[in-house]
Structure formats: C-alpha cells, structure tokens
C-alpha cells in the first residue's frame, strides 16, 4: 500500500455465465480481491494483447510497456510468484 503500484484484474469470460456482472462480483468477494476488475466481455483487451491463456499475468511499467508476462496459475510463495515479486520490486526502483 505504501508503494506506487497498482493491480488491475481483467476478466475475460470463457463461458456465458461469466459475462454477468453479479457472478463476477460474487467471485471477487469469495476470493477477497481488493483491486479493481475490468470486465472484457467483448474480448477487446484479450485480442489487443494477443492473449490465448487463462490465466495470464502481465507486468506493465509506468509508461504502459509490457515488461513481462506469465501464463498459468500462480500461488503465493511459489517460484513464479517470487519471480513476479522480484520484477515488480525492480520496476518500483525505476
């Protein structure tokens, strides 16, 4: 919270039920997410990034450049999460 850092979730639905805002809100509450989540029902953002995977993580710097991307689930403390944290720490120093 004391860093100049923002997490933004982008929800691109795979199934029709996932296009309903109330269903997404329930999942946000269930997983206790505290960051904004954009709904990408028309897959415009998905296509703009040429994404093909659920989930995918993009690290974007303050100039809007994608600095790294990760595909697949990530869990706190695992090797990928630690790599992501290191990249973010490096970017915060820039």
């Amino acid at each position: 919270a004391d860093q100049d850092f923002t997490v933004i979730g982008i929800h691109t639905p795979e199934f029709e039920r996932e296009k309903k805002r109330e269903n997404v809100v329930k999942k946000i509450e269930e997983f206790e997410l505290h960051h904004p989540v954009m709904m990408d029902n028309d897959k415009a953002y998905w296509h703009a990034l040429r994404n093909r995977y659920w989930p995918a993580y993009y690290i974007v710097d303050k100039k809007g450049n994608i600095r790294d991307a990760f595909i697949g689930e990530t869990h706190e403390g695992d090797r990928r999460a630690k790599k992501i944290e290191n990249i973010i720490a490096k970017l915060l120093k820039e």
Side-chain angles (χ1 to χ4, degrees), residues 1-13:
D2 62 340
Q3 297 288 323
D4 188 19
F5 176 75
T6 303
V7 172
I8 301 171
I10 300 170
H11 172 70
T12 305

Side-chain angles (χ1 to χ4, degrees), residues 1 5 16 22 24 26 30 32 41 45 47 50 52 54 58 60-61 66 69 75 77 81 94:
F5 176 75
E16 200 61 34
E22 59 271 13
V24 175
K26 285 179 188 175
E30 177 184 335
E32 299 180 4
N41 284 350
Y45 203 82
H47 292 299
R50 297 183 179 154
R52 298 185 351 220
W54 279 283
Y58 295 89
V60 181
D61 67 19
I66 296 174
H75 301 279
E94 289 184 2

Side-chain angles (χ1 to χ4, degrees), residues 5 46 49-60 66-75 78-89 91:
F5 176 75
W46 174 276
L49 291 175
R50 297 183 179 154
N51 196 11
R52 298 185 351 220
Y53 306 99
W54 279 283
Y57 303 87
Y58 295 89
I59 298 176
V60 181
I66 296 174
R67 298 289 287 267
D68 217 325
F70 298 87
I71 297 165
E73 288 191 28
T74 299
H75 301 279
D78 69 18
R79 187 169 30 129
R80 182 181 298 160
K82 290 176 183 175
K83 184 175 182 182
I84 291 169
E85 289 171 6
N86 288 335
I87 292 167
I88 292 168
L91 289 176

Side-chain angles (χ1 to χ4, degrees), residues 6-40:
T6 303
V7 172
I8 301 171
I10 300 170
H11 172 70
T12 305
E14 185 175 9
F15 304 107
E16 200 61 34
R17 70 181 179 276
E18 296 172 341
K19 290 182 178 181
K20 296 180 182 177
R21 180 172 171 70
E22 59 271 13
N23 293 340
V24 175
V25 169
K26 285 179 188 175
K27 287 295 179 183
I28 290 168
E29 291 169 354
E30 177 184 335
F31 290 111
E32 299 180 4
L33 302 178
H34 302 287
H35 58 271
V37 177
M38 177 185 99
M39 293 188 63
D40 185 32

